[in-house]
Amino acid sequence: MSLFKMSGWLLPVVLLIGCDNGSHTVATQGKQGVALPALPIIQGAVMSLVPMPDGQRNELMMSQVCALARGESTQQQVAQNLLQQGVDLSRVPQQGHPLSLLVDPDLSRRITACAAYIATSVMMLPKTSEFMVEANTAPVSGKKKLNVDPQKLNYFLGIQLAIAKADAYFFALIATRLEKTSGLTLEQYTQQAKIQFAAIAPLYLQRVKDLYAQGQNAQYSLVEYSDSNFKFTSNNGYLFEFGYDGLNLSFNRMPWYGAGKLLGKSYLLEVDCFAKHAIEKKHRRNA
């Protein structure tokens, strides 16, 4: 099981454990709750916005969704591209099908899905095909040998850093807004994070594009790439790491994303952990 897949169920479990930790109990407008870090709540909310046909990320579908969301392809071009892949969009309904995003005329849904897909793409180990190519000479063992392609690597690392930086900025913006509303339940904060991200999704996509353009002259060094870790640095002060504890980005040694921090700051949300129990108790009493 990959780290990315594990995080989908680990996030709510970790947060629920936090709600049960009485040592962090706080009083919020007459309510009892705990202060929980905003970052994992926002991460979980954005992850849930990614379309997952059959429970998996679908690169083919999302590449076409993003092409439509960015205005890079027309509906006819997407339909033709997928038909060549054996997918007939004329048979797909506008709602209720895993591929409905590709025929639904609601552009905002495509933009949100694309932004969420891109935002979470740095929260998983990259594939070798992203920056490696097969060696020209066959090895003696008969197994395929892969070499790092410097041009592909530089392009890929530039994109990864642009996305991670955009995540830090926009997740911090969402956290700032969520902090102003205290005493919500975990589910309510998650829903608010979804709404906030959907509202800024168009700006997020543009920001990623701008950050990549700004970093084209940067130089990157791949430090580590294995089955469990991915790490690189840039000559403008960034350290990007993905491992067992998820994504961590630092800027000039300051935590820019990860370990509960965004842009060097810890954002805490005062979560009402007992509202659901109180409602259930009231229903039992009135039954």
Side-chain angles (χ1 to χ4, degrees), residues 185-221:
T185 64
L186 184 59
E187 292 77 12
Q188 288 171 331
Y189 274 122
T190 299
Q191 184 60 30
Q192 285 299 312
K194 291 180 185 180
I195 293 172
Q196 292 286 345
F197 186 80
I200 61 178
L203 296 176
Y204 175 87
L205 291 178
Q206 184 59 48
R207 184 61 173 162
V208 171
K209 185 177 180 180
D210 293 343
L211 286 170
Y212 173 72
Q214 293 168 16
Q216 283 191 327
N217 292 326
Q219 297 178 3
Y220 304 100
S221 297

Coordinates of all heavy atoms in Angstrom, one line a residue, residues 185-221:
T185 N -17.3 21.6 14.0 CA -16.9 20.2 14.1 C -15.9 19.9 13.0 O -15.7 20.7 12.1 CB -18.1 19.3 13.8 OG1 -18.6 19.5 12.5 CG2 -19.3 19.6 14.8
L186 N -15.2 18.8 13.1 CA -14.2 18.4 12.2 C -14.8 18.3 10.8 O -14.2 18.8 9.8 CB -13.6 17.1 12.6 CG -12.5 16.5 11.7 CD1 -11.3 17.5 11.7 CD2 -12.0 15.2 12.2
E187 N -16.0 17.8 10.7 CA -16.7 17.7 9.4 C -17.0 19.0 8.8 O -16.9 19.3 7.6 CB -18.0 16.8 9.5 CG -17.8 15.4 9.8 CD -17.4 15.1 11.3 OE1 -17.6 16.1 12.1 OE2 -17.0 14.0 11.6
Q188 N -17.4 20.0 9.6 CA -17.7 21.3 9.2 C -16.5 22.1 8.7 O -16.5 22.8 7.7 CB -18.4 22.1 10.3 CG -19.8 21.7 10.6 CD -20.4 22.3 11.8 OE1 -19.7 22.7 12.8 NE2 -21.7 22.5 11.8
Y189 N -15.4 21.9 9.4 CA -14.1 22.5 8.9 C -13.7 21.9 7.6 O -13.2 22.6 6.7 CB -13.0 22.3 10.0 CG -13.0 23.4 11.1 CD1 -13.1 23.0 12.4 CD2 -12.8 24.7 10.7 CE1 -13.1 24.0 13.4 CE2 -12.8 25.7 11.7 CZ -12.9 25.3 13.1 OH -12.9 26.3 14.0
T190 N -13.8 20.6 7.5 CA -13.5 19.9 6.2 C -14.3 20.5 5.1 O -13.8 20.7 4.0 CB -13.7 18.4 6.4 OG1 -12.8 17.9 7.4 CG2 -13.3 17.7 5.0
Q191 N -15.6 20.6 5.3 CA -16.5 21.1 4.3 C -16.2 22.6 3.9 O -16.2 22.9 2.7 CB -18.0 21.0 4.7 CG -19.0 21.5 3.7 CD -18.9 20.6 2.4 OE1 -18.6 19.4 2.5 NE2 -19.3 21.2 1.3
Q192 N -15.8 23.4 4.9 CA -15.5 24.8 4.6 C -14.2 24.8 3.8 O -14.0 25.7 3.0 CB -15.3 25.5 6.0 CG -16.6 25.9 6.6 CD -17.5 26.8 5.7 OE1 -17.0 27.8 5.2 NE2 -18.7 26.4 5.6
A193 N -13.2 23.9 4.1 CA -12.0 23.9 3.4 C -12.2 23.5 1.9 O -11.6 24.1 1.0 CB -11.0 22.9 4.0
K194 N -13.2 22.6 1.7 CA -13.5 22.2 0.3 C -14.1 23.4 -0.4 O -13.7 23.7 -1.6 CB -14.5 21.1 0.3 CG -14.1 19.8 0.8 CD -15.2 18.7 0.7 CE -14.8 17.4 1.3 NZ -15.9 16.4 1.2
I195 N -15.0 24.2 0.2 CA -15.6 25.3 -0.4 C -14.6 26.4 -0.7 O -14.6 27.0 -1.8 CB -16.7 25.9 0.6 CG1 -17.9 24.9 0.7 CG2 -17.2 27.2 0.0 CD1 -18.9 25.2 1.7
Q196 N -13.7 26.6 0.3 CA -12.6 27.6 0.1 C -11.7 27.3 -1.1 O -11.4 28.1 -1.9 CB -11.8 27.8 1.4 CG -12.6 28.4 2.6 CD -12.8 29.9 2.4 OE1 -12.2 30.5 1.6 NE2 -13.7 30.4 3.2
F197 N -11.3 26.0 -1.1 CA -10.4 25.6 -2.2 C -11.1 25.7 -3.6 O -10.5 26.2 -4.5 CB -9.9 24.2 -2.0 CG -8.9 23.7 -3.0 CD1 -7.6 24.1 -2.9 CD2 -9.2 23.0 -4.1 CE1 -6.6 23.8 -3.8 CE2 -8.3 22.6 -5.0 CZ -7.0 23.0 -4.9
A198 N -12.3 25.3 -3.6 CA -13.1 25.4 -4.9 C -13.2 26.8 -5.4 O -13.1 27.1 -6.6 CB -14.5 24.8 -4.7
A199 N -13.3 27.8 -4.4 CA -13.5 29.2 -4.8 C -12.2 29.8 -5.3 O -12.3 30.7 -6.2 CB -13.9 30.0 -3.5
I200 N -11.1 29.3 -4.9 CA -9.8 29.8 -5.3 C -9.1 28.9 -6.4 O -8.0 29.2 -6.8 CB -8.8 30.1 -4.1 CG1 -8.5 28.8 -3.4 CG2 -9.4 31.1 -3.2 CD1 -7.6 29.0 -2.3
A201 N -9.8 27.9 -6.8 CA -9.2 26.9 -7.7 C -8.6 27.6 -9.0 O -7.5 27.3 -9.5 CB -10.1 25.8 -8.1
P202 N -9.4 28.5 -9.6 CA -8.9 29.2 -10.9 C -7.6 29.9 -10.6 O -6.6 29.9 -11.4 CB -10.0 30.1 -11.3 CG -11.2 29.5 -10.7 CD -10.8 29.0 -9.4
L203 N -7.5 30.6 -9.4 CA -6.3 31.4 -9.1 C -5.2 30.4 -8.8 O -4.0 30.7 -9.1 CB -6.6 32.2 -7.8 CG -7.6 33.4 -8.0 CD1 -7.9 34.1 -6.7 CD2 -7.1 34.4 -9.1
Y204 N -5.5 29.3 -8.2 CA -4.5 28.3 -7.9 C -3.8 27.8 -9.2 O -2.5 27.7 -9.2 CB -5.1 27.1 -7.1 CG -4.1 26.0 -6.9 CD1 -3.2 26.0 -5.8 CD2 -3.9 24.9 -7.8 CE1 -2.3 25.0 -5.6 CE2 -3.0 23.9 -7.6 CZ -2.2 23.9 -6.5 OH -1.3 22.9 -6.3
L205 N -4.6 27.4 -10.2 CA -4.0 26.9 -11.4 C -3.1 28.0 -12.1 O -2.0 27.7 -12.6 CB -5.2 26.5 -12.4 CG -6.0 25.3 -12.0 CD1 -7.1 25.1 -13.0 CD2 -5.1 24.1 -11.9
Q206 N -3.5 29.2 -12.0 CA -2.7 30.3 -12.6 C -1.5 30.5 -11.8 O -0.4 30.8 -12.4 CB -3.5 31.6 -12.7 CG -2.8 32.8 -13.3 CD -2.4 32.5 -14.8 OE1 -3.2 32.0 -15.6 NE2 -1.2 32.7 -15.2
R207 N -1.6 30.4 -10.5 CA -0.4 30.6 -9.6 C 0.7 29.5 -9.9 O 1.9 29.8 -9.9 CB -0.8 30.5 -8.2 CG 0.3 30.8 -7.2 CD 0.9 32.2 -7.4 NE 1.9 32.5 -6.3 CZ 2.8 33.5 -6.4 NH1 2.8 34.2 -7.5 NH2 3.6 33.8 -5.4
V208 N 0.3 28.3 -10.1 CA 1.2 27.2 -10.4 C 1.9 27.5 -11.7 O 3.2 27.4 -11.8 CB 0.5 25.8 -10.5 CG1 1.4 24.8 -11.0 CG2 0.0 25.4 -9.1
K209 N 1.2 28.0 -12.7 CA 1.8 28.3 -14.0 C 2.8 29.4 -13.8 O 3.9 29.4 -14.4 CB 0.7 28.7 -14.9 CG 1.1 29.0 -16.3 CD -0.1 29.3 -17.2 CE 0.4 29.6 -18.7 NZ -0.8 29.9 -19.5
D210 N 2.4 30.5 -13.0 CA 3.3 31.6 -12.8 C 4.6 31.2 -12.1 O 5.7 31.6 -12.4 CB 2.6 32.7 -12.1 CG 1.5 33.3 -12.9 OD1 1.5 33.2 -14.1 OD2 0.6 34.0 -12.3
L211 N 4.4 30.4 -11.0 CA 5.6 30.0 -10.2 C 6.5 29.1 -11.0 O 7.8 29.2 -10.9 CB 5.1 29.2 -9.0 CG 4.4 30.0 -7.9 CD1 3.8 29.1 -6.8 CD2 5.5 30.9 -7.2
Y212 N 6.0 28.3 -11.9 CA 6.9 27.5 -12.7 C 7.7 28.4 -13.7 O 8.9 28.2 -13.9 CB 6.1 26.5 -13.6 CG 7.0 25.8 -14.6 CD1 7.9 24.8 -14.1 CD2 6.9 26.1 -15.9 CE1 8.7 24.2 -15.1 CE2 7.7 25.4 -16.8 CZ 8.7 24.5 -16.4 OH 9.5 23.9 -17.3
A213 N 7.0 29.4 -14.3 CA 7.7 30.3 -15.2 C 8.8 31.1 -14.5 O 9.8 31.3 -15.0 CB 6.6 31.3 -15.8
Q214 N 8.5 31.5 -13.2 CA 9.5 32.3 -12.4 C 10.7 31.4 -12.1 O 11.8 32.0 -11.9 CB 8.8 32.8 -11.2 CG 7.7 33.8 -11.4 CD 6.9 34.1 -10.2 OE1 7.3 33.8 -9.0 NE2 5.7 34.8 -10.3
G215 N 10.5 30.1 -12.0 CA 11.6 29.3 -11.6 C 12.4 28.6 -12.7 O 13.2 27.7 -12.4
Q216 N 12.1 29.0 -13.9 CA 12.8 28.3 -15.0 C 14.3 28.5 -15.1 O 15.0 27.6 -15.7 CB 12.1 28.8 -16.4 CG 10.8 28.2 -16.6 CD 10.3 28.5 -18.0 OE1 10.6 29.5 -18.6 NE2 9.5 27.5 -18.6
N217 N 14.8 29.5 -14.4 CA 16.2 29.7 -14.4 C 16.9 29.1 -13.2 O 18.1 29.2 -13.0 CB 16.5 31.2 -14.5 CG 16.2 31.8 -15.8 OD1 16.3 31.2 -16.8 ND2 15.7 33.1 -15.8
A218 N 16.1 28.5 -12.3 CA 16.6 27.8 -11.1 C 17.3 26.5 -11.5 O 17.1 25.9 -12.5 CB 15.5 27.6 -10.1
Q219 N 18.3 26.1 -10.7 CA 19.0 24.9 -10.8 C 18.6 23.9 -9.7 O 18.5 24.3 -8.6 CB 20.5 25.1 -10.8 CG 21.0 26.0 -11.9 CD 22.5 26.3 -11.9 OE1 23.2 25.8 -11.0 NE2 23.0 27.1 -12.8
Y220 N 18.4 22.7 -10.1 CA 17.9 21.7 -9.1 C 18.9 20.5 -9.0 O 19.6 20.2 -10.0 CB 16.5 21.1 -9.6 CG 15.5 22.2 -9.8 CD1 15.2 22.7 -11.1 CD2 14.8 22.8 -8.7 CE1 14.3 23.7 -11.3 CE2 13.9 23.8 -8.9 CZ 13.6 24.2 -10.2 OH 12.7 25.2 -10.4
S221 N 18.9 20.0 -7.8 CA 19.8 18.8 -7.6 C 18.9 17.7 -6.9 O 18.3 17.9 -5.9 CB 20.9 19.2 -6.6 OG 21.8 20.1 -7.2

